[in-house]
Amino acid sequence: MTPESALALITAHADPEKAAGMAAYHKVARPYLGVPVPVLDDLARDWRRALDIPARAALACALWDTNIHEARVAAAKLLTQARQRPDDTPSWDAIQAWVPQFDGWALADHACAAGAKRLVADPSRLDVVETWTTSDHIWTRRAALVITLPWTKQRDAKPEDLAIRERVLGWAAGYVPDRDWFIQKAIAWWLRDLSRRDPDRVRAFLDIHGAGMKPFARREAARLLPRAATEES
């Protein structure tokens, strides 16, 4: 599978009318083809079956470098799966290289979904993610919370997972003074998802830091908590 043939398969599903709507919605200047995400899912699944890990990473990087919206989504999808053996370093390296290029939530979230799998496979990579929290680039800072969302979801978190939760909550606390809407939304997203598993920890976070969050973010973070915890003072 060459990058040219992969892009041809994507382009075969192009819808110019839908592409125009996507360009208006995302408000990021790049080419749009109007290809639905489920189609990209199917294509990426076929490519994963046909390619080994280094070839997947190489194709993903080539598709990402086209700067076409759907090609970048497909690149992230190509690297999104539960496990990669024997070594998923090529995929992790590709995702790291993309992070400074994020310029909107949509592509960032697809890429972070792929990156989250790589973090769960090797949590020592959180040391790299922690460096993102002090970046001057808003989308890199936001990615540190989005890519760690798996740690909000464990039903029976092990001690090492609870330690990671606390580590990321520390990052979130450090973000509270940042007034950017997307940063505040990311804090709220992390807390809201965690509230399904550990509502008491979310209440404790909001007791300490909630007053410093934007009202919309505080409300969203508490949305799934019992009503007494959602009332604002």
Side-chain angles (χ1 to χ4, degrees):
M1 176 64 62
T2 67
E4 293 77 16
S5 59
L7 188 57
L9 288 170
I10 295 171
T11 304
H13 298 275
D15 180 336
E17 184 176 348
K18 185 172 182 178
M22 290 174 63
Y25 175 72
H26 290 294
K27 298 182 175 65
V28 177
R30 66 168 39 90
Y32 295 84
L33 300 175
V35 180
V37 170
V39 171
L40 301 174
D41 273 326
D42 290 342
L43 290 172
R45 187 179 304 113
D46 290 342
W47 299 338
R48 287 199 302 268
R49 290 170 178 162
L51 300 171
D52 62 18
I53 292 170
R56 290 178 210 170
L59 178 58
C61 288
L63 289 172
W64 185 273
D65 287 346
T66 67
N67 196 37
I68 297 170
H69 178 84
E70 287 83 354
R72 287 194 161 188
V73 173
K77 296 289 185 181
L78 187 54
L79 301 186
T80 303
Q81 65 275 341
R83 290 177 181 268
Q84 290 184 327
R85 294 190 176 104
D87 181 12
D88 67 354
T89 300
S91 299
W92 174 242
D93 288 346
I95 294 162
Q96 285 188 83
W98 298 344
V99 172
Q101 302 174 51
F102 291 167
D103 52 12
W105 63 267
L107 290 177
D109 289 359
H110 285 297
C112 283
K117 302 285 189 181
R118 312 281 69 77
L119 280 184
V120 171
D122 183 357
S124 71
R125 291 167 173 160
L126 286 163
D127 291 344
V128 172
V129 176
E130 187 160 20
T131 69
W132 302 353
T133 66
T134 56
S135 173
D136 292 335
H137 181 229
I138 175 181
W139 298 105
T140 297
R141 295 198 306 278
R142 177 182 178 274
L145 294 186
V146 179
I147 205 169
T148 53
L149 282 167
W151 279 277
T152 68
K153 303 178 190 304
Q154 299 113 331
R155 288 185 179 276
D156 298 304
K158 298 176 182 178
E160 56 268 30
D161 294 318
L162 293 174
I164 290 171
R165 259 185 208 174
E166 289 304 314
R167 183 178 185 180
V168 179
L169 285 167
W171 303 347
Y175 284 0
V176 166
D178 189 323
R179 311 317 288 164
D180 184 274
W181 190 92
F182 285 101
I183 294 296
Q184 292 282 315
K185 179 69 173 179
I187 300 168
W189 185 1
W190 220 92
L191 293 170
R192 183 199 65 209
D193 282 9
L194 180 59
S195 72
R196 294 185 173 100
R197 298 285 178 254
D198 193 349
D200 290 343
R201 185 63 185 88
V202 173
R203 291 189 191 96
F205 184 100
L206 292 173
D207 285 346
I208 297 171
H209 303 289
M213 295 167 63
K214 284 193 170 184
F216 88 87
R218 188 167 62 248
R219 287 192 298 271
E220 179 63 14
R223 182 165 60 84
L224 301 181
L225 293 174
R227 181 162 181 81
T230 66
E231 294 174 352
E232 297 179 16
S233 57

